[in-house]
């Protein structure tokens, strides 16, 4: 009985080696055809992402709420800090007033102390990280 098992195992091994020797992996080539406008679209998306993160600089948000109050806050800010850029951004459902583009946290913190005298709820925004 042991001899029968050994013979069966030997035959199975022989056939499996014979079959695996003759088989081979598939080889192929992939070609990708893309519309040339895809590159233009990717470049446009990259530019859009750059503008969304303010070129990687810190901002100070001074107001969140209605459009009329946002315009008042921007006017007040521009009257006190003429040399600092300030803009109104709409993020559903509120308008937000954001100011400055600071290279590092130290600059932003220093300016924030001045801004909080007029806008006590102001805070520093950290830019979004871009995946591109």
């Amino acid at each position: 009985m042991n001899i029968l098992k050994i013979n069966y195992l030997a035959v199975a091994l022989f056939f499996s080696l014979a079959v695996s020797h003759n088989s081979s992996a598939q080889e192929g080539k992939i070609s990708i055809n893309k519309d040339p406008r895809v590159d233009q679209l990717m470049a446009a998306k990259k530019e859009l992402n750059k503008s969304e993160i303010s070129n990687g600089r810190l901002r100070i948000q001074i107001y969140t709420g209605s459009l009329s109050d946002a315009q008042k806050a921007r006017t007040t800010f521009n009257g006190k800090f003429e040399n600092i850029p300030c803009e109104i951004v709409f993020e559903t459902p509120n308008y937000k007033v954001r100011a400055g583009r600071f290279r590092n946290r130290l600059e932003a913190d220093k300016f924030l102390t001045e801004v909080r005298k007029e806008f006590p709820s102001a805070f520093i925004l950290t830019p979004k990280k871009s995946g591109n």
Side-chain angles (χ1 to χ4, degrees), residues 1-130:
M1 188 124 131
N2 254 346
I3 294 175
L4 186 58
K5 286 183 181 178
I6 293 174
N7 284 341
Y8 178 73
L9 185 60
V11 170
L13 182 62
F14 173 76
F15 280 117
S16 66
L17 286 175
V19 170
S20 67
H21 178 69
N22 289 334
S23 66
S24 62
Q26 295 179 0
E27 292 183 26
K29 294 182 181 179
I30 297 175
S31 65
I32 298 174
N33 298 320
K34 71 175 180 175
D35 191 325
R37 293 178 291 176
V38 170
D39 291 329
Q40 293 172 343
L41 183 62
M42 293 300 292
K45 174 68 175 157
K46 195 172 185 179
E47 287 301 314
L48 180 64
N49 283 345
K50 283 182 184 177
S51 67
E52 285 177 359
I53 62 171
S54 302
N55 298 325
R57 299 212 174 181
L58 298 166
R59 312 283 316 269
I60 294 178
Q61 185 164 305
I62 61 173
Y63 175 79
T64 300
S66 69
L67 177 59
S68 60
D69 289 339
Q71 290 170 334
K72 290 176 190 174
R74 183 181 63 180
T75 302
T76 302
F77 182 87
N78 286 336
K80 301 271 182 188
F81 308 101
E82 296 172 3
N83 297 328
I84 304 297
C86 181
E87 65 184 0
I88 297 175
V89 176
F90 179 71
E91 288 182 3
T92 306
N94 295 314
Y95 290 88
K96 300 176 180 190
V97 180
R98 295 179 178 163
R101 287 185 174 85
F102 304 97
R103 288 178 282 188
N104 57 49
R105 185 74 183 205
L106 184 62
E107 287 180 1
D109 281 333
K110 184 177 177 183
F111 188 66
L112 181 62
T113 57
E114 293 179 41
V115 171
R116 280 201 173 148
K117 293 173 187 172
E118 187 69 33
F119 302 95
S121 62
F123 62 93
I124 296 173
L125 286 173
T126 304
K128 298 177 192 173
K129 296 203 176 187
S130 176

